[in-house]
Amino acid sequence: RRVLFRSLRELGDHQQARALIDDTLTRCCRILGEDHPDTLITAYNLAVVLSQLGAHQRARQLKRWIKSQYRSS
């Protein structure tokens, strides 16, 4: 999934990349837990794509969430 995500992002297909990484984040949270390192990396990747799509406020919120999860683990 990460390889496909990176490929989509590099090709400029940010909407598809967002959909893929958003689904991946949901799965990571459910399976690995919200404070798992892979979940936090996935969340960061989503924040990057959101910024690229102009959703800066949502990206900032997600980055704050990442920091709070990282501090609590």
Side-chain angles (χ1 to χ4, degrees):
R1 285 187 166 252
R2 283 189 189 158
V3 173
L4 179 56
F5 161 74
R6 285 188 193 121
S7 296
L8 288 168
R9 201 176 85 201
E10 288 172 9
L11 290 170
D13 194 347
H14 301 293
Q15 290 291 351
Q16 281 289 88
R18 177 188 178 174
L20 178 64
I21 205 70
D22 198 15
D23 178 62
T24 303
L25 179 58
T26 300
R27 292 169 188 256
C28 284
C29 287
R30 186 179 69 241
I31 296 167
L32 301 174
E34 292 184 350
D35 61 348
H36 191 279
D38 286 346
T39 301
L40 300 176
I41 291 167
T42 302
Y44 180 78
N45 287 334
L46 178 56
V48 169
V49 171
L50 288 169
S51 289
Q52 291 171 332
L53 290 169
H56 302 292
Q57 182 177 356
R58 176 67 181 119
R60 283 191 298 273
Q61 290 171 342
L62 192 52
K63 287 177 183 178
R64 283 193 294 272
W65 178 80
I66 294 165
K67 286 179 185 178
S68 73
Q69 293 301 315
Y70 182 75
R71 287 182 187 139
S72 69
S73 60

